[in-house]
Amino acid sequence: MARAARQIVQDGTMSAEDLENYETDMELQLYREYRDVVGLFSYVVETERRFYLANHVDLQARSADGEVYFDLTLQDAWVWDVYRSARFVKNVRVITFKDVNVEELPRSEDLSLPKDGGLGDLGDLGN
């Protein structure tokens, strides 16, 4: 357990430095979890409030009273949220008037190196 978290448990107090250290530790743990699970997902989805990994994305632009909004449905998702205890979610629905960015993640087999490991003509650039 991080030093700041131990301090909170022991006496219930927290300084600004303890809080900053605790939040930094939590962000680092979240990043490590992201790094471990990103290969399990097909898409990265970013909204104004959250960042998701998902295996199925359905994004629909809709209109109501002259306003355009986005209706986003994700299945088999992971949510980037440091304060959330359960980050794996079966279904997510987001309604937003803000931008939504959806990117398909490359598959590991899409990023293969040549069998000989060489870089072809690029290997001669240093000569």
Side-chain angles (χ1 to χ4, degrees), residues 60-117:
Q60 301 291 321
R62 305 210 188 270
S63 179
D65 298 327
E67 296 283 336
V68 174
Y69 67 94
F70 299 100
D71 187 348
L72 175 66
T73 304
L74 308 176
Q75 293 177 343
D76 187 21
W78 180 89
V79 184
W80 179 287
D81 187 342
V82 72
Y83 300 107
R84 208 180 157 95
S85 60
R87 285 185 270 280
F88 287 96
V89 183
K90 186 168 179 62
N91 295 297
V92 176
R93 184 169 182 209
V94 177
I95 307 290
T96 182
F97 288 91
K98 305 285 185 174
D99 290 341
V100 175
N101 184 41
V102 178
E103 296 179 31
E104 186 171 3
L105 290 167
R107 293 284 182 202
S108 58
E109 59 268 11
D110 294 343
L111 298 174
S112 61
L113 292 174
K115 290 185 191 239
D116 65 1

Side-chain angles (χ1 to χ4, degrees), residues 1-58:
M1 187 183 307
R3 182 182 60 80
R6 280 193 302 272
Q7 180 70 24
I8 296 166
V9 170
Q10 289 172 355
D11 64 15
T13 64
M14 176 184 272
S15 70
E17 182 182 351
D18 289 338
L19 180 59
E20 187 174 319
N21 289 338
Y22 177 74
E23 289 178 346
T24 300
D25 289 345
M26 293 299 291
E27 284 285 337
L28 183 57
Q29 287 177 4
L30 185 61
Y31 170 74
R32 287 179 178 149
E33 183 178 325
Y34 164 81
R35 186 187 60 200
D36 292 342
V37 302
V38 68
L40 303 173
F41 295 94
S42 300
Y43 299 94
V44 172
V45 179
E46 187 176 4
T47 69
E48 80 279 5
R49 296 192 59 207
R50 297 275 191 279
F51 178 86
Y52 303 89
L53 298 172
N55 281 323
H56 177 77
V57 176
D58 181 31

